Amino acid sequence: MRVLGLDPGSRRTGWGVVDREGRGARYVACGHVAPSARLDLARRLHAIVHEVHAVIERYRPDQVVVESAFHHEFARSTLVLGHIRGALLVAAVEHDLPIAEYAPRAIKLAVTGRGGAGKEQVAAMVRMQLGLAEAPQADAADALAGALCHLQRVRLDAPRRRTPAAERLQALLATARSAR
């Protein structure tokens, strides 16, 4: 499974791609989109979505993870972040990709063990878990952390594979129920 993590931001939107490898993950690529601050919101959204489309087409993820909305102190910041999240969701839907959303606190908890971890700690743990030579830029690290969180959740939520002994026991129980 290949997962594209997206960390929405009005100045920088981070992206990171990881593959599931056995019980772990393998780094594929990461980066960020940073449209000019001089552009109006509509043009920044367009630039972000255009880059995300290119990332999706290049890396062909199976799923997309987008950090869920959280409230800023300022209503305008929350509103702008909502616009960016919406544009990212539309980009994923246009490629017919399943979308998972996780709260920032849940992502930090999954990657660092602390829901209140700082950006530096998240980047350090992403570096360690993916075996990178250096920590990725903060927004890209957050995107990679979202992808790692998703791989962890998918692994934990996956149905347990039954052993042959469990299969035989299940068959015996079914036979006993039908004999009643």
Side-chain angles (χ1 to χ4, degrees), residues 21-124:
E21 191 169 80
R23 295 183 61 98
R26 182 180 62 82
Y27 171 81
V28 176
C30 72
H32 64 270
V33 183
S36 171
R38 292 184 216 157
L39 295 175
D40 62 19
L41 179 59
R43 295 197 190 312
R44 276 188 287 155
L45 289 171
H46 181 263
I48 290 168
V49 168
H50 180 73
E51 270 308 305
V52 169
H53 278 299
V55 168
I56 290 171
E57 289 168 10
R58 179 170 184 189
Y59 295 104
R60 303 276 184 215
D62 300 307
Q63 297 190 350
V64 172
V65 174
V66 180
E67 188 175 273
S68 65
F70 59 95
H71 300 289
H72 286 277
E73 184 177 328
F74 301 104
R76 175 151 170 60
S77 297
T78 303
L79 185 60
V80 169
L81 184 61
H83 288 311
I84 294 165
R85 284 187 74 259
L88 294 174
L89 295 172
V90 168
V93 168
E94 286 179 343
H95 288 274
D96 200 30
L97 292 169
I99 302 164
E101 297 180 62
Y102 298 102
R105 191 166 187 80
I107 293 171
K108 291 174 183 178
L109 183 63
V111 174
T112 70
R114 281 188 50 236
K119 284 195 171 281
E120 300 81 22
Q121 188 177 7
V122 170

